[in-house]
Amino acid sequence: MSSTNELLASIIKTSGGVTLAELLTQHPGIARRTAQRQIAKLIENGRIFAHGEGRAREYFGTDIPTEIGIEWSKPDGIANFIPLSADSQDILRYIDQPLVARKPVGYQRDFLDAYRPNTTWYLSESLRRQLHKMGKTTDGHQPAGTYSRTISNRLLIDLSWASSNLEGNTYTRLDTRELIEHGKSAQGKAALETQMILNHKSAIELLVENIDTAQFNRYTLMNLHSALSENLLPNPADEGRIRQHAVDIGKSVYRPLSVSGQIEDTFGLLLNKANQITDAFEQSFFMMVHLPYLQPFADINKRTSRLATNLPLFRANLCPLTFLDVPEQAYSRATLGVYEMTRVELLRDLYVWAYERSTQEYLAIKQDLAEPDPLRLAWRDVIKQIIHDVVTHTELDPLAAIQQAVAEQIPASEQGELQALIVEELRRLHEGVLARYGLRPSEFSAWKAAHRSSQN
């Protein structure tokens, strides 16, 4: 056996890593300079990797036998399709080590404290200009949320599907469309997966429909989490609530804060800083970095952050970030770079790549979208309230109730057209759009039962 192979064999069979001094003790016939040269070659060829500095530097084998029991994340070609900076590649090299080679670390409050809104920039000025150019829409000077409402049907499907997919959900894009548009659950799928998709839909609608008032405050974030976590947490009391207990991060050496008072205090600081950021993309990325890092909720933190990341983009009438085509492994590893190293470069590169994919999709479909119905846009709150009142008052005759409500609130010149629009909305009502009108499934079922003959 050659001296190189002898060193490699010793490194591979040492589960906890081995230093150069230990290797030289095991192989006294190999000179130090020779060993250093051969180890460098093994690292270059990807056969081993190193962790630590100086005399404490340890070497680990990438061909670790399974019986050793070390988790090892093999590279999945992330750099082949996502342009990575040298800093990002450095993060990958660290994160791709087995757990035993990575240093356990807790929440670093200094990471948040050091951030100065509009002075500290995770996204450089040139990168922000590039993102604004990519995401610009023709609705830029319209009221906040105009663009997200225009594309809401497509947005509900794409973001619900892609975000759920990052959590291992096996619904296809077509399955998701059938569920959201027609209320049809996919055959053979777990109830948990169906619930996850529907929760995303409700949460996105919560943001889009309340864009005029939605901000990075406790109310918005708590209710966003509540919508995403409904019927998915072991303890329903954790829905929309700051966690009261410690949590572990799977396949990570990161340990978040565990004292609820500290979490509350840090959460408040996080929101305060987020609200001061003036650039939509910097604000968006800040939330993508710091919300999962804090882990303020018992679970579903990353899902909450992915939707919260879109709030500044919705408000500025920019293209959304839908996470279409983002590989789960790439997203997980970029997030681990923040958790374990408090470094944002890999997540930043992924953010830019993912946003470019989203804009290519949405700027293309925007050309084919019909302009929003001006009547529906002007009276959307009235329409929702009338439909809510009709459904929740089963004793009323639907048509008569609509006629009376329209006559009381709408100018005479628009009454006939709006009445017809509301009747058509009522005919199309199904369980997949109930949240839009503030309705519960039980209320819809009761109304259908009371007016079954008129629905046929």
Side-chain angles (χ1 to χ4, degrees), residues 100-134:
V100 295
R102 283 142 54 191
K103 180 182 177 182
V105 61
Y107 181 84
Q108 305 296 306
R109 173 67 179 256
D110 290 348
F111 182 38
L112 179 61
D113 286 340
Y115 188 92
R116 298 288 182 264
N118 309 312
T119 299
T120 304
W121 297 102
Y122 289 151
L123 305 175
S124 67
E125 183 180 356
S126 60
L127 197 51
R128 297 196 305 273
R129 282 200 305 267
Q130 176 187 344
L131 290 166
H132 277 281
K133 184 176 180 181
M134 286 194 296

Side-chain angles (χ1 to χ4, degrees), residues 67-177:
E67 61 265 22
I68 292 178
I70 295 178
E71 294 188 60
W72 166 242
S73 176
K74 294 285 188 182
D76 58 3
I78 177 175
N80 293 335
F81 54 89
I82 299 178
L84 297 181
S85 64
D87 287 333
S88 293
Q89 293 174 11
D90 183 52
I91 294 170
L92 269 182
R93 279 191 292 270
Y94 180 78
I95 293 301
D96 281 342
Q97 297 178 111
L99 288 174
V100 295
R102 283 142 54 191
K103 180 182 177 182
V105 61
Y107 181 84
Q108 305 296 306
R109 173 67 179 256
D110 290 348
F111 182 38
L112 179 61
D113 286 340
Y115 188 92
R116 298 288 182 264
N118 309 312
T119 299
T120 304
W121 297 102
Y122 289 151
L123 305 175
S124 67
E125 183 180 356
S126 60
L127 197 51
R128 297 196 305 273
R129 282 200 305 267
Q130 176 187 344
L131 290 166
H132 277 281
K133 184 176 180 181
M134 286 194 296
K136 184 179 180 180
T137 70
T138 56
D139 298 314
H141 299 294
Q142 298 298 314
T146 299
Y147 183 71
S148 57
R149 291 188 182 109
T150 301
I151 61 168
S152 61
N153 291 340
R154 179 68 177 267
L155 176 66
L156 287 172
I157 296 166
D158 288 348
L159 185 51
S160 296
W161 172 70
S163 180
S164 297
N165 186 254
L166 286 173
E167 300 299 324
N169 194 302
T170 62
Y171 259 70
T172 66
R173 203 169 179 178
L174 182 59
D175 291 336
T176 304
R177 179 177 179 176

Side-chain angles (χ1 to χ4, degrees), residues 2 10 33 41 73 76 115 131 175 182 194 240 258 285 306 332 374:
S2 69
S10 294
R33 285 181 177 271
K41 192 68 174 178
S73 176
D76 58 3
Y115 188 92
L131 290 166
D175 291 336
H182 306 294
T194 302
S258 58
F285 186 64
R306 289 195 288 271
S332 295

Side-chain angles (χ1 to χ4, degrees), residues 66-355:
T66 55
E67 61 265 22
I68 292 178
I70 295 178
E71 294 188 60
W72 166 242
S73 176
K74 294 285 188 182
D76 58 3
I78 177 175
N80 293 335
F81 54 89
I82 299 178
L84 297 181
S85 64
D87 287 333
S88 293
Q89 293 174 11
D90 183 52
I91 294 170
L92 269 182
R93 279 191 292 270
Y94 180 78
I95 293 301
D96 281 342
Q97 297 178 111
L99 288 174
V100 295
R102 283 142 54 191
K103 180 182 177 182
V105 61
Y107 181 84
Q108 305 296 306
R109 173 67 179 256
D110 290 348
F111 182 38
L112 179 61
D113 286 340
Y115 188 92
R116 298 288 182 264
N118 309 312
T119 299
T120 304
W121 297 102
Y122 289 151
L123 305 175
S124 67
E125 183 180 356
S126 60
L127 197 51
R128 297 196 305 273
R129 282 200 305 267
Q130 176 187 344
L131 290 166
H132 277 281
K133 184 176 180 181
M134 286 194 296
K136 184 179 180 180
T137 70
T138 56
D139 298 314
H141 299 294
Q142 298 298 314
T146 299
Y147 183 71
S148 57
R149 291 188 182 109
T150 301
I151 61 168
S152 61
N153 291 340
R154 179 68 177 267
L155 176 66
L156 287 172
I157 296 166
D158 288 348
L159 185 51
S160 296
W161 172 70
S163 180
S164 297
N165 186 254
L166 286 173
E167 300 299 324
N169 194 302
T170 62
Y171 259 70
T172 66
R173 203 169 179 178
L174 182 59
D175 291 336
T176 304
R177 179 177 179 176
E178 286 297 303
L179 177 62
I180 288 178
E181 291 189 347
H182 306 294
K184 296 180 181 178
S185 301
Q187 293 295 318
K189 302 296 183 183
L192 181 148
E193 294 186 296
T194 302
Q195 183 77 58
M196 186 187 295
I197 297 286
L198 291 175
N199 285 1
H200 272 86
K201 174 182 178 293
S202 296
I204 297 166
E205 287 177 333
L206 176 69
L207 286 181
V208 172
E209 298 303 327
N210 295 281
I211 201 68
D212 296 333
T213 56
Q215 299 178 25
F216 285 133
N217 54 29
R218 289 177 61 89
Y219 178 83
T220 299
L221 268 295
M222 297 298 194
N223 281 276
L224 190 61
H225 180 264
S226 176
L228 284 166
S229 61
E230 182 181 0
N231 205 25
L232 290 180
L233 296 180
N235 183 1
D238 286 330
E239 296 174 8
R241 178 186 180 188
I242 295 295
R243 62 181 166 88
Q244 305 295 306
H245 51 79
V247 294
D248 289 326
I249 307 296
K251 298 182 180 180
S252 177
V253 294
Y254 171 59
R255 298 294 177 265
L257 289 173
S258 58
V259 180
S260 60
Q262 291 180 332
I263 300 170
E264 288 270 9
D265 178 61
T266 309
F267 186 57
L269 177 62
L270 188 161
L271 295 178
N272 180 266
K273 293 201 173 195
N275 277 315
Q276 295 179 54
I277 301 171
T278 56
D279 183 84
F281 287 104
E282 180 72 15
Q283 192 180 43
S284 167
F285 186 64
F286 176 87
M287 291 301 291
M288 191 169 171
V289 169
H290 281 281
L291 192 62
Y293 181 55
L294 177 59
Q295 294 280 306
F297 305 112
D299 196 3
I300 310 182
N301 291 280
K302 287 188 292 187
R303 270 168 267 181
T304 304
S305 77
R306 289 195 288 271
L307 267 61
T309 289
N310 271 291
L311 176 55
L313 308 183
F314 290 169
R315 291 183 63 84
N317 288 319
L318 293 160
C319 278
L321 173 56
T322 59
F323 298 90
L324 289 172
D325 302 322
V326 173
E328 187 277 331
Q329 276 291 317
Y331 180 79
S332 295
R333 288 152 80 186
T335 305
L336 286 177
V338 176
Y339 290 173
E340 299 186 16
M341 305 173 75
T342 59
R343 289 184 57 179
V344 305
E345 295 93 340
L346 183 56
L347 189 62
R348 177 200 62 203
D349 288 350
L350 180 64
Y351 178 92
V352 174
W353 178 85
Y355 191 68

Side-chain angles (χ1 to χ4, degrees), residues 375 379 406-407 409-419:
L375 192 67
W379 299 105
V406 168
Q409 303 179 65
I410 308 300
S413 61
E414 297 181 330
Q415 287 180 10
E417 191 175 354
L418 190 65
Q419 180 179 316

